[in-house]
Each structure stands twice: as C-alpha cells, then as structure tokens.
Amino acid sequence: MQTQPAFWPDPLSHLRRTMPDDPVFYHSPQALQARARFFLDRFPGLVTYAVKANDRAEVLDNLVAAGIDSFDVASPAEMAAVRRVKPDAVLHYHNPIRTPSEIAEGRAQGVASWSVDCMAELEKLGDLPEGSEIAVRLKLAVKGGAYDFGSKFGATPDEAEALLREVARRGWRASVTFHPGTQCEAAEAWAAYIGAAAEVAERAGVRLHRLNVGGGFPGRRGAEAPDLGAIFDRIAAETRKAFGEDAPAHVCEPGRGMVADSFHLALRVRAVRNGAVFLNDGIYGNLTELRDLGPMSGIRALSPEGHARHAAPEARIVFGPTCDSLDRLPEPLPLPADLAEGDYLLFPSMGAYSQVLATQFNGYGAARVVTVQDLSGAALDTGG
Ligand SMILES: *Cc1c(COP(=O)(O)O)cnc(C)c1O
C-alpha cells in the first residue's frame, strides 16, 4: 500500500478521472481529525486510540495532529509504531496476556497502564514502578457488540474483586477496564459494565483510580450515523449513578469509532457470471470483516464512468479475486440488477480492521490510499 500525495476533492472525481483497476481507499484526513476532536471535546475523560484498528502512519499522524497523545497498544510493534509518530506518547498496554520479554519492552517504553485479568499475569508483571496503573479487565455476559469480546479475556466479578484487592495491597493504582464488544450500538452494554465495576470496587473496598470504558464505539454501517454523543452522555450519567460523588475519572480506547468513517473503499467488478459478482478484493483482502460482522448497507454501485446504478437490487453472491473457492462473502449482497463488468462498488466506513487484516494471498489484497477532501454523500449524489 502506498500513500499517494495527490489531493482529490472527493472519491468520484478520482474514480472518473483514473478508472482504477485495483482497490482504492479514499481517506479524508479532515474527517479523521474532526472525529478525533469530537472524542476529545465530548468524551468525559482521557481518549486513547486503540492502534490495532488501523496502525498506518497517516492515521497515527493525523490523530496526533488533532491532539491525541495517548494510545492503547497490544504489542511491542504497536509501541514502536506510536513512538515513531509521537515519541512522548502515553502508552496503555492493555493486552492482558504478555510474555516476559514483552513485559520488559513495555517497561523500557515507560508504559503508564497495564491491564490484567488473572493473578498469574499480575504476578508476571513483577515490581512495577510506584504509581503504575493496573486496570483489572472485567467481563460480563453482556450483549451489545457485533461479537463477544468477553469470550477471550476478562475476569469474572469475583475474580476481579480479588485482583483489585491484590493490586491495591501492592501499592499500585487500581482501575477497572472492560470492552463491551466491537461495533456496540447499545449504550446499555456500557451501563451494565459501569454498574458492575462499581459493585466490584465496593466489595473489594478499593477506590478506583480510573474507569476505562474500552472501545466498542460504532462506526457507520447503515443509513443512520451512530450517535456517539448519546453514548458518552450515558456513560457519564451511569458513572454518577453507580459511584456517586467519588466517581473515578474515565478513560476510553476507541479503535473503530475513531477511524472507520474516514475511509471509503472502492472496488471494481471483474466479472458478472450467472448472477454472481466477482470483485477485485474479498475476505482475504480488505473485506475480512464482512465475514465476521455480516453484511453492511450503504454500498453504492457506479458505472465505469462513475454514474450511480439505479436498477432495483437483487441478492448477489459476491466472490473475491483469488482462486480459492472459500473466497466469497458469507451472505449475498443486495446489488442493482444492472451491475456490470467494469463497474465500481463504493463501501463506506472501511477504515477499521480492513487494511490491517488484508493478506496478499494469491497476489491480491493490496490497496492504494488516495487522499480526498470530502467523503460526504452529497459529493457522491452529484454522480447520479
Ligand atoms: C480492540 C480493542 C479496542 C478497540 O476496540 P474497537 O471496538 O475497535 O473500538 C480497545 N481496547 C482493547 C483492549 C482492545 O483489545
């Protein structure tokens, strides 16, 4: 993947002029910076960016330019990626399972906060510097996200209570952290976790240093943009309700919610055969998440000249470009009946868990990034 320095007003003007055969991400740094400023202005606490959603330098650079100075990292490689763009960044190392050499690297990098979900991992951390923050990762059986993050990491409320006591006994700053599940559109999921965090802290007799409400903030996957401000307000209200006057400070660690909406992905139709559509990208490339999250709406079909296809939609099987027969989307997509070879499909909000998951299997999966001023629907509608 290469970043093309040329600056285009919007995706359509680039598509029409260049008719690209290869997958193209359209990225609006302006939109990304606006989203970062929205988090900084409206989230009631510290905003850390979860690097795994998209670790590309242009993303990290724009976040830093917008004022993000704290990052959730899961590996030494992510620490290095952050240090390259912001040498004095604050690092939260919230992967609760670490090898001794990873712990040594975290210490060398001056990690400010570590998450744990079991005694053995707490033990492994050894003698951290005084004032280090240990965030106990709590899990609940809560529905809300597109898939369940609690199935891999997290301590039950009873285990979390014991861990908090032990963290406090060792003289570290005790916090609670959780992740409600990615692409979580239900503010109730945060409410349930915040209530449980307050209960666990009370039973442990520990005053929390901070409450980290995780990532999970949704990107746009349908006609309506999710209301992030309403989720922030609910988080603040539930924390007041659960903790009262003595409430801990908040931290959040958005990945998807920060970066998804500032990238659109344009793919080209390689062939239409017996009603099935063959694209130049698929689940081994930048569409991996469509396999895990299910289909999305808001995909636009355009003729090679960049005009909207208007025929009524039909459910189409969609194959990727490789010779592997598993390379198909798990569910058919509704696409216009007049879709033809050489057409484009424009997938909105593709900035998270796309480029970072793409493989080069069978020689496909690479995508250029073209910088645009404006990703808005209005700019697209003029193409119709
Ligand atoms: C992946 C991850 C995030 C970001 O999740 P999103 O759903 O992309 O916001 C935040 N925190 C931790 C610990 C994670 O593993």
Side-chain angles (χ1 to χ4, degrees):
M1 186 202 73
Q2 285 180 331
T3 304
Q4 190 171 296
F7 205 80
W8 296 77
D10 56 70
L12 262 193
S13 42
H14 178 266
L15 264 188
R16 286 181 177 153
R17 185 74 69 79
T18 67
M19 294 194 174
D21 252 350
D22 52 328
V24 177
F25 277 105
Y26 293 107
H27 173 48
S28 166
Q30 208 165 288
L32 178 57
Q33 290 203 27
R35 178 59 56 86
R37 283 193 301 273
F38 180 81
F39 266 97
L40 290 168
D41 292 346
R42 286 283 273 109
F43 180 77
L46 175 70
V47 179
T48 69
Y49 172 62
V51 173
K52 82 172 185 289
N54 191 325
D55 63 353
R56 303 304 154 125
E58 72 264 23
V59 168
L60 300 179
D61 276 338
N62 279 298
L63 293 177
V64 168
I68 300 288
D69 59 11
S70 303
F71 294 82
D72 169 45
V73 292
S75 59
E78 288 189 352
M79 293 175 203
V82 170
R83 288 276 182 248
R84 275 196 291 278
V85 299
K86 186 156 178 65
D88 63 344
V90 175
L91 300 177
H92 290 189
Y93 190 1
H94 284 181
N95 180 346
I97 296 184
R98 310 172 185 89
T99 66
S101 66
E102 287 171 339
I103 292 169
E105 182 59 20
R107 284 165 160 253
Q109 295 288 341
V111 160
S113 175
W114 308 72
S115 75
V116 296
D117 65 358
C118 76
M119 262 333 155
E121 289 292 328
L122 181 62
E123 210 56 65
K124 244 182 183 171
L125 290 176
D127 296 321
L128 292 177
E130 229 190 272
S132 294
E133 176 182 27
I134 307 282
V136 173
R137 171 90 175 248
L138 178 65
K139 78 170 166 198
L140 298 176
V142 160
K143 276 226 160 62
Y147 52 91
D148 181 10
F149 268 46
S151 66
K152 181 164 181 185
F153 294 133
T156 64
D158 286 345
E159 292 162 347
E161 179 190 333
L163 280 165
L164 277 179
R165 275 209 197 94
E166 186 57 21
V167 169
R169 195 186 68 75
R170 295 181 186 211
W172 294 321
R173 291 175 163 161
S175 295
V176 166
T177 186
F178 60 83
H179 194 301
T182 200
Q183 185 64 24
C184 183
E185 304 201 29
E188 285 67 40
W190 278 277
Y193 267 105
I194 291 166
E199 260 180 58
V200 166
E202 168 144 23
R203 289 207 323 254
V206 169
R207 186 188 179 278
L208 295 187
H209 175 56
R210 297 199 283 199
L211 178 61
N212 186 323
V213 300
F217 302 95
R220 184 173 186 157
R221 285 183 69 81
E224 301 265 313
D227 188 347
L228 296 179
I231 296 176
F232 300 165
D233 292 344
R234 182 76 187 272
I235 287 170
E238 292 296 331
T239 303
R240 274 194 304 275
K241 198 166 97 190
F243 288 88
E245 287 306 304
D246 203 24
H250 290 113
V251 183
C252 68
E253 43 194 25
R256 182 191 305 281
M258 187 69 87
V259 76
D261 295 349
S262 57
F263 287 79
H264 291 185
L265 176 62
L267 302 183
R268 196 160 205 192
V269 176
R270 288 161 60 81
V272 179
R273 208 192 273 171
N274 301 327
V277 174
F278 292 72
L279 295 179
N280 61 354
D281 199 3
I283 58 163
Y284 292 114
N286 297 282
L287 298 183
T288 309
E289 258 216 332
L290 266 66
R291 183 191 61 198
D292 304 320
L293 295 195
M296 63 197 298
S297 62
I299 300 166
R300 287 163 182 265
L302 305 165
S303 71
E305 296 74 35
H307 298 297
R309 294 282 187 204
H310 287 303
E314 280 176 359
R316 302 293 192 93
I317 291 173
V318 177
F319 289 106
T322 71
C323 291
D324 185 316
S325 56
L326 295 179
D327 186 6
R328 72 182 259 185
L329 299 186
E331 292 182 53
L333 286 184
L335 296 171
D338 54 351
L339 191 76
E341 183 172 329
D343 282 2
Y344 292 99
L345 294 182
L346 202 50
F347 291 72
S349 298
M350 291 293 291
Y353 308 109
S354 49
Q355 286 149 290
V356 288
L357 293 176
T359 74
Q360 308 281 302
F361 177 44
N362 230 186
Y364 293 98
R368 270 185 298 154
V369 177
V370 170
T371 302
V372 295
Q373 179 95 27
D374 186 10
L375 284 169
S376 72
L380 285 173
D381 287 336
T382 58

